Amino acid sequence: MSNLIKPQGYRALLDMRQTEQGIKLIKEFFQQNLSTELRLRRVTAPLFVLKGLGINDDLNGVERPVTFPIKDLGDAKAEVVHSLAKWKRLTLAEYGIEPGYGIYTDMNAIRADEELDNLHSLYVDQWDWEAVINAPQRNVTFLESVVRRIYGAIRRTEYLTCETYPQIKPFLPDDIHFIHSEDLLQMYPDLTPKEREDAICKKYGAVFIEGIGAKLSNGEKHDGRAADYDDWSTVAENGKAGLNGDILIWYPVLGHSFELSSMGIRVDKESLLRQLKLEGQEEREKLYFHQQLLEDKLPLSIGGGIGQSRLCMVLLHKAHIGEIQASIWPEEMRQECEDMGMKLI
């Protein structure tokens, strides 16, 4: 409850019927734009995977997956996915996707350890995407070019939404600003990582923060990243570590920064081994996914996740993600939101 942001004078611009129509409009239009921009084909994804294969996304490494036994497999344990970061790379190999092409899917997850607030729900829905790349493309210049294409698709979707609902006014800037997490620390050395995100997003409107996962010069990480999907340790052509990052915007409805996507160039053999060692997780080398990568059976790739409910929330100018998706909320939060005009589904 303490994390609930309470925007003063908030008023939903769309009623519930219009909101549902707007969600459909945004999801259909954006995924078509995303697939065209990045040359992605849609694939069907699992809701759960077998435990112990190293396929599930470990996020920051501390979140507990929802687990259940499978009767017909001798009570073998399955885990509801956190995301599909590693599953997608296995699928690229299975489908024989060529460099320059990729896949996307509707990812639905349950994150039982999430702290519930305006942006965080037990239920997570993303467009999870992954594309095959060549070794020379494992650099920041290529990463930023992909970010610009994704941001362009977001802005086109904003334009369509505002044309459909004239009461909604566009606010996203024309361009997205790039900054490394170490440079951001140097700009705002006395602020916490979240406060630094707020400051830089308020200044530029839309920002891609690079190099998330490695320790910065103050000995702390900007944010945690699992060791076995994003490459956050390779020193890039800019002399700084990390080939990954987050797309964030300044969201005036809440007066805070707002993460729309986490993405990056994925680990190769060298960076996987290096990052597992840095995190003290060398035992994971024996897992199925990691063995596939170490035996050169997986392609080099870039990928990420783009929040479906989050994008709809932003483009429809909603103050709580529960106005977009059906989930479970503390009754006190639900009542408080109702009193402030945030009607949760």
Side-chain angles (χ1 to χ4, degrees):
M1 287 295 294
S2 60
N3 293 325
L4 183 65
I5 301 170
K6 305 172 184 178
Q8 295 298 314
Y10 172 74
R11 181 178 64 86
L13 299 179
L14 303 180
D15 61 26
M16 295 189 77
R17 179 184 61 83
Q18 292 172 314
T19 298
E20 294 286 8
Q21 293 172 337
I23 292 170
K24 182 175 184 290
L25 174 80
I26 290 167
K27 287 189 175 184
E28 290 179 350
F29 184 80
F30 178 78
Q31 70 180 3
Q32 184 61 51
N33 269 259
L34 179 70
S35 63
T36 301
E37 277 286 354
L38 302 184
R39 296 194 285 188
L40 309 173
R41 70 175 72 165
R42 189 189 182 284
V43 298
T44 301
L47 177 60
F48 40 82
V49 294
L50 281 173
K51 183 178 181 179
L53 298 180
I55 297 175
N56 203 357
D57 179 359
D58 295 302
L59 301 177
N60 293 318
V62 297
E63 293 87 350
R64 300 169 300 166
V66 175
T67 306
F68 61 92
I70 305 172
K71 181 180 178 181
D72 260 11
L73 294 182
D75 281 345
K77 294 293 179 63
E79 295 178 344
V80 176
V81 297
H82 279 146
S83 86
L84 298 170
K86 289 176 280 190
W87 176 88
K88 291 177 297 181
R89 198 164 176 185
L90 292 166
T91 303
L92 290 177
E94 183 179 354
Y95 283 27
I97 304 294
E98 297 291 324
Y101 296 87
I103 59 173
Y104 80 95
T105 190
D106 291 296
M107 188 283 298
N108 296 284
I110 299 173
R111 297 183 183 173
D113 287 341
E114 202 72 85
E115 294 184 11
L116 307 181
D117 57 25
N118 302 64
L119 308 184
H120 297 91
S121 170
L122 299 175
Y123 169 65
V124 178
D125 55 343
Q126 293 183 161
W127 290 286
D128 248 332
W129 65 274
E130 198 87 7
V132 179
I133 62 174
N134 293 310
Q137 293 174 312
R138 300 190 79 257
N139 58 69
V140 167
T141 301
F142 178 74
L143 173 66
E144 292 180 353
S145 72
V146 174
V147 171
R148 289 189 181 95
R149 287 150 68 185
I150 294 173
Y151 185 68
I154 292 172
R155 289 197 66 240
R156 285 194 294 276
T157 309
E158 181 190 44
Y159 176 79
L160 175 66
T161 305
C162 295
E163 283 287 292
T164 306
Y165 303 103
Q167 63 269 46
I168 299 176
K169 305 301 179 186
F171 69 94
L172 294 175
D174 292 345
D175 301 310
I176 187 167
H177 179 76
F178 295 89
I179 188 168
H180 193 276
S181 53
E182 177 62 38
D183 295 330
L184 187 59
L185 171 63
Q186 299 306 317
M187 286 180 65
Y188 305 108
D190 298 325
L191 301 183
T192 66
K194 179 59 181 172
E195 290 169 342
R196 296 198 290 271
E197 290 178 358
D198 284 345
I200 197 70
C201 287
K202 189 171 185 179
K203 181 175 182 179
Y204 290 103
V207 181
F208 185 72
I209 300 177
E210 298 170 354
I212 296 178
K215 289 184 178 179
L216 304 176
S217 58
N218 63 355
E220 300 175 358
K221 299 178 181 181
H222 181 84
D223 198 2
R225 285 294 183 276
D228 47 14
Y229 58 98
D230 279 355
D231 185 340
W232 42 257
S233 64
T234 293
V235 177
E237 68 270 25
N238 58 11
K240 298 181 176 66
L243 300 173
N244 70 327
D246 289 347
I247 297 176
L248 301 101
I249 61 164
W250 177 254
Y251 190 39
V253 173
L254 296 180
H256 286 272
S257 58
F258 192 113
E259 180 188 321
L260 288 176
S261 175
S262 177
M263 58 174 287
I265 291 171
R266 306 309 198 186
V267 289
D268 57 9
K269 288 195 296 185
E270 291 75 18
S271 54
L272 172 65
L273 293 172
R274 179 169 60 246
Q275 290 177 187
L276 288 175
K277 185 174 182 180
L278 286 169
E279 297 297 299
Q281 298 176 348
E282 291 96 331
E283 75 282 355
R284 295 185 68 83
E285 295 174 22
K286 302 182 180 68
L287 296 174
Y288 174 75
F289 170 83
H290 305 71
Q291 282 294 304
Q292 293 291 104
L293 178 55
L294 294 173
E295 292 172 8
D296 293 315
K297 294 180 180 179
L298 302 181
L300 299 175
S301 67
I302 182 173
I306 302 166
Q308 294 188 15
S309 291
R310 284 195 174 197
L311 183 63
C312 293
M313 177 182 168
V314 163
L315 299 185
L316 298 177
H317 293 205
K318 299 292 187 176
H320 196 290
I321 199 166
E323 296 178 86
I324 298 295
Q325 57 160 250
S327 186
I328 296 174
W329 307 98
E331 189 54 41
E332 300 91 336
M333 179 182 288
R334 186 176 287 277
Q335 185 57 55
E336 196 165 358
C337 289
E338 180 86 22
D339 294 342
M340 291 186 293
M342 298 184 280
K343 188 171 182 59
L344 306 188
I345 296 173

